[in-house]
Amino acid sequence: MSERLTADQIRADQLDALHERAARAAQSAHGAAGAGPADGALWEAARAAVAWLDAANATRDRAEETALRLLKLTEETGEVMNAYTGLTGHNPRKGVTHARADVAAELCDVILTAAVVLHEFSDDPAGTLDAHVRGVTERMRAGADERP
């Protein structure tokens, strides 16, 4: 019972810390050279979430924990489509149930969840994403340069 209580306390403390750190990072990153306000907040929140999850799930097998974090990413992606279906009213039984802001919020959840799980596969997740985005950008530029 005391282990469960400790895990619950960790979850509450880490969640509060996550919100506080993300807010502070958003404010301080605004003035950082080359980084937008969301850049610092994203990675600060992702690191806090990783620490929170690691502490709360310390007894779980690492491969299982990684699989569950990847599964969470697919769950969040499903929530994007649910919100989009609600935005467009494609379910005639329910009609229009969501706004564009709901889709945007769900997309943000996908981005944050992906940033969290990226920590499982990279020692420098921010650098990994940055390098990947630069590579994609260069390929897009090269493709645009080849068009008549």
Side-chain angles (χ1 to χ4, degrees):
M1 186 70 176
S2 65
E3 271 186 44
R4 181 68 181 154
L5 182 60
T6 302
D8 289 343
Q9 289 172 334
I10 291 170
R11 287 186 184 111
D13 291 346
Q14 290 286 344
L15 190 56
D16 289 343
L18 170 67
H19 290 295
E20 288 174 22
R21 288 178 187 168
R24 282 194 312 269
Q27 290 174 345
S28 64
H30 185 67
D39 294 337
L42 170 64
W43 295 110
E44 183 68 26
R47 280 189 298 277
V50 167
W52 174 52
L53 290 167
D54 286 350
N57 301 321
T59 59
R60 185 174 285 145
D61 175 72
R62 195 72 216 166
E64 178 186 5
E65 181 65 17
T66 299
L68 289 171
R69 291 180 194 189
L70 287 165
L71 186 59
K72 180 65 176 173
L73 182 59
T74 62
E75 175 196 337
E76 295 295 345
T77 304
E79 290 177 12
V80 170
M81 287 310 302
N82 184 45
Y84 184 72
T85 299
L87 172 68
T88 59
H90 276 103
N91 183 339
R93 184 176 58 83
K94 293 182 178 179
V96 175
T97 59
H98 289 73
R100 290 173 53 88
D102 297 319
V103 179
E106 295 299 343
L107 287 167
C108 291
D109 286 347
V110 168
I111 292 166
L112 179 56
T113 303
V116 168
V117 78
L118 185 56
H119 281 77
E120 296 293 312
F121 300 96
S122 173
D123 292 333
D124 178 14
T128 299
L129 178 62
D130 186 59
H132 185 79
V133 168
R134 289 177 193 275
V136 169
T137 302
E138 287 183 23
R139 287 193 301 276
M140 287 189 305
R141 283 187 191 135
D145 292 342
E146 293 173 7
R147 292 186 192 159

